[in-house]
Amino acid sequence: MELEQGQAVLPEWERLRLLRAESEYDAIKKNPRIAYAIWCAAGIFGGHRFYLGDTARSIAMLFTLGGLGVWSLIDVFFIARRVRTVNHARRAAVMARYGILDAAMVGVAETSN
């Protein structure tokens, strides 16, 4: 088995820890297709916001019928970005819990210094 240049071999325990963290993240990540499907079915009631964990906005949408439909129509343009944001935060939390420094976060930290 040949390694590409610059690729490191992880010890078995480290590889298993990484696989466990990835598995946990896969179990809790949100799917944009499901968010859009919920928006189609219950967007005026804020169902897609409940799915994404935005409880305060969901309740506001529930009691105002999606801002009389205005918030619901505007949300269709922001659902994909919100799903990415929620998934990024969840991945960072899982990786931090396992003590794994995420490669995406390393790039952000290096550019900010």
Side-chain angles (χ1 to χ4, degrees):
M1 181 166 110
E2 292 183 28
L3 291 176
E4 294 180 20
Q5 193 170 8
Q7 186 179 15
V9 177
L10 290 176
E12 185 65 19
W13 63 272
E14 187 71 26
R15 190 180 69 78
L16 290 174
R17 186 172 67 147
L18 181 61
L19 287 174
R20 192 173 330 127
E22 287 291 341
S23 175
E24 185 177 329
Y25 167 68
D26 286 339
I28 63 170
K29 73 179 178 182
K30 300 299 181 181
N31 188 334
R33 290 181 183 173
I34 293 174
Y36 277 111
I38 295 172
W39 176 83
C40 288
I44 199 160
F45 301 114
H48 57 290
R49 291 285 186 170
F50 278 110
Y51 173 70
L52 295 173
D54 298 333
T55 308
R57 288 185 179 154
S58 305
I59 292 172
M61 288 182 78
L62 180 65
F63 288 119
T64 63
L65 292 178
L68 297 176
V70 175
W71 288 347
S72 296
L73 289 175
I74 291 172
D75 261 359
V76 75
F77 300 108
F78 297 107
I79 290 175
R81 184 172 63 183
R82 183 65 187 142
V83 169
R84 280 192 305 272
T85 302
V86 166
N87 283 342
H88 181 72
R90 287 175 178 229
R91 180 178 175 81
V94 168
M95 294 302 162
R97 191 167 41 250
Y98 281 91
I100 299 170
L101 191 58
D102 200 359
M105 295 305 292
V106 170
V108 170
E110 288 175 355
T111 58
S112 65
N113 288 335

